[in-house]
Amino acid sequence: MTVMTPKILIYSHDTFGLGHLRRCRTIAQSLVGSFPEMSVLILSGSPIIGSFEFRSRVDFVRIPGVIKLRSGEYTSLSLQLDINETIAIRSSIIEHTAKVFKPDIFIVDKEPLGLRSEVLPTLQYLKGQKTRLVLGLRDVMDDPLVLKEEWLRKRAYPALNDLYDEIWVYGPSVMNNPLDGLGFDQSVMQKTLFTGYLRRSMPSSAQDFTAPFDGAPYVLVTPGGGGDGVELVDWVMRAYEARLRPLFPALIVLGPFMSKADVEAFTTRASHLRDVEILRFTPEIEPYMANATAVIGMGGYNTFCEVLSFDNPALLVPRVVPRREQAIRAEQAQRLGLAQMLPIDSYPSVELMVKALANLPFIAPPSHAHSENYLGGLDVINLRTAEILGMSDQALMQRLNVSADPKLTCKTG
């Protein structure tokens, strides 16, 4: 098909944290920047999606929010409704939006059928409309045995076999294949495109950035959305409170989903430390990342993309529950020389954290391990989108100039 005014619909699986929304937003911003006539619509349940700025021709539909509890159960975020009622409303909005918007490509983030199969009716409808159906996956999903059991329970296998036309893995094949060990036959594996990581860039508002600590070198501490980053922040603050060795000042961005009680406790502790500052939340963390001497994070997908993009020496302290995703990514990153890792099992050893923080600013940045080779994700997605839409835009091809390194990207079928 050749489409002059293409439309892309993206479903962002949002029940906890910022990861899905920020990944989908990054892809959408890149697509409209490469295709002047394109419109991208994001379906999201994130309660803070309105805090982010979007480029012209990118918009969003906010569906009722749902949050995942530590027990693994889901509940409505704001509405006093049974979870099944909330899912029914979400599913109806998603399907109706797709029918009215008539997308040429539908990209589903992470969850093959969406939350509690809420996207299945939309997938089935769009399949009949010849919409190209794409499942977008992180470089790492979880331990394969755990993910296999989960996808079998959620009945996701038929969707990958029969509904989805393509599977885009937002990472290089040298890092990880999230489908390995899941038992898919060759027909599914042939749908897979390894894009590379999604490069992050400075927002236009960065010109108004004011550096913390009066411009002195600092390390940035980011637990992502913050809902599950209390141990990391506490561990870092214990290191500064101990004063065992001189450390670079630390800017800690707590994240929008950290509990009010934890925010207040950390803010109080920081008020007694001259070399620690607290920032509650910023939708534009890129300037803080780019200006930081080093970064301490949990190893979530977006933080890792930013570390590679801004070439920061990084210490990753990954969580291991409810998923091992961050731990698997951190272990691979350390193996490839892209970052250092400190297991959360060592918490709260002050001596270990102090030693890691003191050494961090002096370790080699990711570029020493050729991280630039891993950052072609957005270009690969733009090129593949042009192919799907039947566009022979030579200017686009020349501008992106993506090399098909089989170690980084692999598309068959």
Side-chain angles (χ1 to χ4, degrees):
M1 60 179 174
T2 301
V3 183
M4 302 308 297
T5 56
K7 293 178 288 186
I8 295 182
L9 183 63
I10 302 178
Y11 166 84
S12 176
H13 173 256
D14 299 299
T15 59
F16 190 76
L18 293 170
H20 310 292
L21 170 60
R22 296 190 63 221
R23 181 166 54 246
C24 293
R25 174 178 175 265
T26 298
I27 293 170
Q29 307 275 68
S30 177
L31 285 169
V32 298
S34 296
F35 299 92
E37 303 300 324
M38 178 176 286
S39 294
V40 180
L41 188 60
I42 300 174
L43 293 156
S44 173
S46 173
I48 62 168
I49 189 170
S51 301
F52 292 86
E53 291 187 3
F54 293 88
R55 297 182 67 162
S56 177
R57 291 177 287 113
V58 178
D59 210 337
F60 63 87
V61 172
R62 168 80 159 85
I63 56 179
V66 170
I67 190 168
K68 187 175 184 178
L69 305 175
R70 288 191 175 272
S71 64
E73 296 298 316
Y74 292 95
T75 186
S76 298
L77 181 62
S78 300
L79 302 176
Q80 294 297 313
L81 292 177
D82 177 80
I83 184 62
N84 293 324
E85 295 174 309
T86 303
I87 294 297
I89 294 172
R90 286 168 55 106
S91 183
S92 177
I93 294 172
I94 293 167
E95 184 176 5
H96 185 70
T97 300
K99 288 180 176 179
V100 175
F101 189 60
K102 299 181 175 65
D104 301 291
I105 303 174
F106 182 35
I107 304 173
V108 174
D109 186 72
K110 180 185 174 285
E111 288 287 341
L113 299 180
L115 177 62
R116 291 200 171 188
S117 299
E118 66 183 2
V119 179
L120 180 57
T122 301
L123 289 169
Q124 293 170 331
Y125 169 77
L126 291 178
K127 189 71 173 180
Q129 303 302 307
K130 308 302 181 183
T131 298
R132 195 72 171 177
L133 303 180
V134 177
L135 175 64
L137 299 178
R138 295 184 305 241
D139 57 334
V140 182
M141 293 290 289
D142 201 348
D143 180 276
L145 293 177
V146 175
L147 183 61
K148 183 176 183 179
E149 188 279 329
E150 178 184 332
W151 276 10
L152 285 171
R153 174 170 45 83
K154 293 180 176 179
R155 301 178 181 176
Y157 276 65
L160 275 77
N161 282 304
D162 305 324
L163 291 177
Y164 283 104
D165 301 299
E166 303 188 21
I167 302 167
W168 294 352
V169 178
Y170 303 132
S173 58
V174 296
M175 188 70 171
N176 185 64
N177 184 345
L179 298 183
D180 277 350
L182 301 187
F184 286 109
D185 59 28
Q186 192 62 22
S187 64
V188 171
M189 304 304 280
Q190 288 178 340
K191 299 178 183 181
T192 304
L193 167 66
F194 290 90
T195 69
Y197 288 115
L198 309 180
R199 185 188 298 275
R200 305 308 163 90
S201 56
M202 295 288 279
S204 58
S205 61
Q207 59 188 3
D208 301 322
F209 172 73
T210 300
F213 304 105
D214 296 322
Y218 67 93
V219 297
L220 176 69
V221 183
T222 168
D228 54 2
V230 171
E231 289 84 0
L232 169 63
V233 175
D234 177 64
W235 202 357
V236 170
M237 294 199 73
R238 286 172 185 246
Y240 280 86
E241 290 165 341
R243 301 207 174 278
L244 299 179
R245 294 174 63 177
L247 299 174
F248 279 51
L251 174 67
I252 304 177
V253 182
L254 297 178
F257 299 115
M258 184 172 287
S259 72
K260 182 179 179 181
D262 288 321
V263 169
E264 292 176 349
F266 288 137
T267 301
T268 299
R269 288 169 66 180
S271 68
H272 300 294
L273 298 170
R274 56 177 173 76
D275 49 0
V276 174
E277 290 186 9
I278 295 288
L279 183 61
R280 178 69 172 91
F281 168 63
T282 173
E284 294 183 342
I285 200 170
E286 293 88 353
Y288 296 96
M289 185 81 67
N291 286 277
T293 300
V295 172
I296 301 96
M298 296 173 64
Y301 180 84
N302 289 289
T303 297
F304 190 60
C305 286
E306 289 156 353
V307 163
L308 299 187
S309 299
F310 298 114
D311 202 26
N312 299 107
L315 174 67
L316 304 180
V317 187
R319 71 182 184 198
V320 292
V321 291
R323 297 186 181 277
R324 291 201 68 253
E325 167 223 341
Q326 293 180 356
I328 295 171
R329 183 179 297 112
E331 290 164 1
Q332 288 287 76
Q334 182 165 265
R335 181 180 64 83
L336 293 171
L338 299 170
Q340 295 291 308
M341 174 185 170
L342 185 60
I344 193 65
D345 292 346
S346 299
Y347 169 79
S349 171
V350 171
E351 293 79 8
L352 279 178
M353 179 57 78
V354 168
K355 181 179 179 180
L357 291 176
N359 294 337
L360 178 59
F362 307 103
I363 68 172
S367 57
H368 282 227
H370 311 290
S371 57
E372 183 68 21
N373 294 335
Y374 304 142
L375 283 165
L378 294 175
D379 289 345
V380 171
I381 289 171
N382 291 338
L383 279 174
R384 181 58 192 146
T385 298
E387 293 172 354
I388 293 172
L389 298 174
M391 294 181 173
S392 56
D393 188 336
Q394 294 302 316
L396 171 65
M397 305 301 177
Q398 293 173 3
R399 185 167 74 251
L400 298 180
N401 191 27
V402 179
S403 62
D405 183 339
K407 294 181 180 179
L408 302 180
T409 63
C410 175
K411 177 167 71 68
T412 55

